[in-house]
Amino acid sequence: MTRPARRTALLCAFAAAAALLPAAPVQAAPVQAAEAPSPLRFTSCPDSVPRPAAPERVECGRLSMPLDWHRPWGPRVEVAVSRVRASGTPAERRGILLVNPGGPGGSGLPYAVTKRAKLPESVRRAYDVVGFDPRGVGRSTPVTCGPMGGLFDSPGGDPVPAGAGAERTYLASLRALADDCATHAGRLLPYLSTRQTAYDMEAIRAALGEPRTSFLGVSYGSYLGAAYTARFPHRVGRMVLDSVVGPGSWYDFDVLQSRALLRQRDTFLAWTAARAGRFGLGGTPAAVRDSYLRVRRELAARPVAGFGPAEFDRAVYRALGRTERWAGLADGLRGQLTDGDPDGLRPAGAFDSPESRNYEAANRVVKCADGPAPSPRDIVADIRRTRRLDPQPVLTGMEASACAYWHHRPGRRTPLGSPDAPPVLLVASAHDPVTPIEGARRLQHLLPGSRLVTLDDDYSHGVFASRGDACVDDTVAAYLVRGEVPSANVRCTGPDLPTAR
């Protein structure tokens, strides 16, 4: 078959699959015909992709995808793909393991190398690990929202509105962000969705000539995997969804996360107070909280070299998600209190770097393409409710609030899960504040036969091949390599809170 004919076969197959969306069980037949695309041709990778240790090597390629899989003969986007081949014998090989690091907006091209390096050896021997930049991200037709409503101002405005005037200013900033995205990414807004990316994943599988897609998705990657399962249940091999984003709207998820962060911060304050001799921020949770609020008030009143309340909240948001960052957060608070120097709180990378601008743009564009938006009234009411729980919350993760003013309004949420998929393994930390465990429990109901592996006494985001827990890693590796599905949900004993050094 000639190359144009192969492309036509692929497009016909996906057009047929799109037409058959309401009837999930019959999707297998049309995608079966998608096995005749041009093969994915790999060459060297860009410098942004790290090199694995010899003798293994990483290779990269590109695929041209329809901008809209429902109209496959229209405009196209480029999707960048990376691969590190299985290190075992041909008899050990189990196929491809597609990986996604989260976001939405996270670059998956280097993830084939960085995540693979942490996987159990049996998994590395069994799978070609395949990463990709989702459409709109990194080297896959990257999206930009230009100024993005002042999000990258330094210092940024206070992100927690208190009072009617501040609430109006907050809503105006959301409208400005949405307007910037419409101006700079208008034609892409409907198509940088998780639903469209699931079709891209299926095209990657077909281009590699593999019968099934095995998948490891972390955080947003769990949502993407569940969306792929909804559309292509009969193409699912072995799927691990780690740190699960549950079913529901992105806005509701963001609100849930903002309240989980309050609980996590209280845990951090108590942990810091128990180590008063190490950190010097106070000997009780209330005293440490006073120190925390004093730092924030100082930076709100007198930002230091572009570091104000918005930058402070971003630093706190990042640190609360992984307990190994807590000592650095406490040290940074003390540095500002004692020396007036917030450098210990500053991130290593600039927030307004090209990579960060792309991430923040893609994050909003994907979330707002995935389902109906909240109303401005909803947003104000929820912020007030959260502030009644704690007057100084961390609202950094409330990205889907911008959807209230979005110029593209999808009519329905992204379908997730399928009763026709094989058993899926869900993995969660019991006290993860970024993707609270309630999401995993709810998604499990949409994936009959799936099992939930919980790391108890753990407070961090990202579990498998991340927390170093043998119970979790061995359970997941046995599932991926040998297809062993636990007979029931699994509970592993976690590390509890860290010891400060």
Side-chain angles (χ1 to χ4, degrees):
M1 184 181 292
T2 64
R3 190 170 299 172
R6 289 192 184 104
R7 174 178 288 182
T8 299
L10 175 64
L11 297 180
C12 289
F14 277 97
L20 292 169
L21 271 177
V26 301
Q27 285 178 349
V31 299
Q32 191 83 19
E35 295 186 18
S38 297
L40 183 53
R41 302 187 185 281
F42 287 98
T43 60
S44 60
C45 292
D47 291 341
S48 59
V49 178
R51 273 45 179 177
E56 295 167 2
R57 65 187 184 91
V58 61
E59 50 192 359
C60 292
R62 303 181 70 83
L63 282 175
S64 176
M65 310 284 195
L67 176 65
D68 180 3
W69 277 105
H70 299 277
R71 296 173 178 81
W73 291 277
R76 306 186 71 78
V77 294
E78 294 288 316
V79 172
V81 181
S82 59
R83 178 176 67 183
V84 181
R85 289 187 179 273
S87 59
T89 64
E92 292 175 281
R93 188 177 182 275
R94 296 291 177 266
I96 59 169
L97 182 67
L98 208 60
V99 293
N100 179 274
S107 172
L109 206 63
Y111 200 58
V113 177
T114 58
K115 186 63 178 181
R116 183 184 182 279
K118 301 175 183 178
L119 295 175
E121 182 182 6
S122 61
V123 179
R124 299 196 306 269
R125 293 181 66 84
Y127 286 96
D128 296 351
V129 179
V130 178
F132 70 105
D133 280 350
R135 54 173 58 205
V137 175
R139 293 181 177 270
S140 296
T141 315
V143 66
T144 178
C145 285
M148 207 159 168
L151 182 68
F152 300 105
D153 290 352
S154 179
D158 196 319
V160 181
E167 289 166 354
R168 287 192 293 271
T169 299
Y170 181 84
L171 294 177
S173 71
L174 297 178
R175 182 188 293 275
L177 189 157
D179 289 347
D180 281 348
C181 284
T183 297
H184 293 270
R187 79 178 184 93
L188 297 175
L189 295 184
Y191 307 114
L192 301 187
S193 67
T194 300
R195 185 179 290 110
Q196 296 281 349
T197 300
Y199 278 95
D200 295 344
M201 288 173 56
E202 177 60 7
I204 293 171
R205 178 206 63 77
L208 290 172
E210 296 287 342
R212 297 286 183 271
T213 298
S214 290
F215 181 72
L216 168 61
V218 181
S219 196
Y220 165 71
S222 68
Y223 186 90
L224 176 58
Y228 180 86
T229 300
R231 278 154 189 77
F232 305 105
H234 300 291
R235 289 297 187 186
V236 175
R238 293 165 189 171
M239 181 170 287
V240 178
L241 307 181
D242 184 354
S243 302
V244 178
V245 175
S249 75
W250 276 114
Y251 176 75
D252 289 343
F253 168 80
D254 290 352
V255 172
L256 179 70
Q257 182 193 84
S258 71
R259 293 170 186 171
L261 285 166
L262 296 180
R263 298 189 294 271
Q264 184 84 336
R265 189 175 61 186
D266 285 345
T267 303
F268 164 76
L269 297 176
W271 177 85
T272 305
R275 294 154 181 81
R278 163 69 173 80
F279 296 115
L281 295 173
T284 66
V288 178
R289 177 181 172 85
D290 286 344
S291 296
Y292 172 97
L293 293 175
R294 180 181 158 194
V295 169
R296 196 182 188 282
R297 285 195 301 269
E298 288 179 356
L299 292 170
R302 293 180 300 278
V304 178
F307 197 90
E311 292 75 19
F312 176 81
D313 281 4
R314 282 197 294 270
V316 171
Y317 177 84
R318 179 181 181 276
L320 289 179
R322 296 280 297 192
T323 54
E324 63 265 30
R325 299 170 184 159
W326 286 12
L329 174 59
D331 285 338
L333 293 172
R334 186 183 61 202
Q336 171 62 25
L337 280 176
T338 58
D339 303 323
D341 181 1
D343 280 356
L345 298 169
R346 292 181 191 272
F351 183 60
D352 64 348
S353 68
E355 295 78 14
S356 177
R357 284 178 175 271
N358 174 234
Y359 176 91
E360 300 295 338
N363 180 282
R364 273 73 171 183
V365 171
V366 172
K367 285 189 171 185
C368 296
D370 276 354
S375 70
R377 181 176 296 181
D378 292 334
I379 295 168
V380 171
D382 282 318
I383 290 175
R384 290 175 179 176
R385 290 188 192 101
T386 303
R387 293 194 68 244
R388 284 195 290 271
L389 297 173
D390 189 306
Q392 195 59 69
V394 179
L395 303 180
T396 300
M398 295 282 292
E399 297 110 346
S401 297
C403 305
Y405 297 101
W406 217 243
H407 291 228
H408 165 67
R409 297 299 184 107
R412 62 189 182 97
R413 290 204 301 261
T414 304
L416 302 178
S418 170
D420 300 305
V424 170
L425 214 57
L426 311 174
V427 185
S429 166
H431 305 287
D432 177 1
V434 181
T435 51
I437 194 170
E438 296 95 315
R441 292 169 178 156
R442 290 176 61 203
L443 185 61
Q444 188 175 16
H445 293 302
L446 302 180
L447 293 164
S450 63
R451 297 290 183 263
L452 173 59
V453 181
T454 301
L455 184 60
D456 288 325
D457 302 315
D458 187 72
Y459 296 78
S460 288
H461 181 60
V463 182
F464 171 57
S466 179
R467 301 299 291 151
D469 184 84
C471 171
V472 171
D473 291 355
D474 291 350
T475 300
V476 177
Y479 166 80
L480 285 172
V481 177
R482 297 189 297 276
E484 295 179 7
V485 179
S487 59
N489 291 340
V490 176
R491 303 194 76 99
C492 298
T493 302
D496 211 338
L497 295 173
T499 301
R501 296 180 180 179

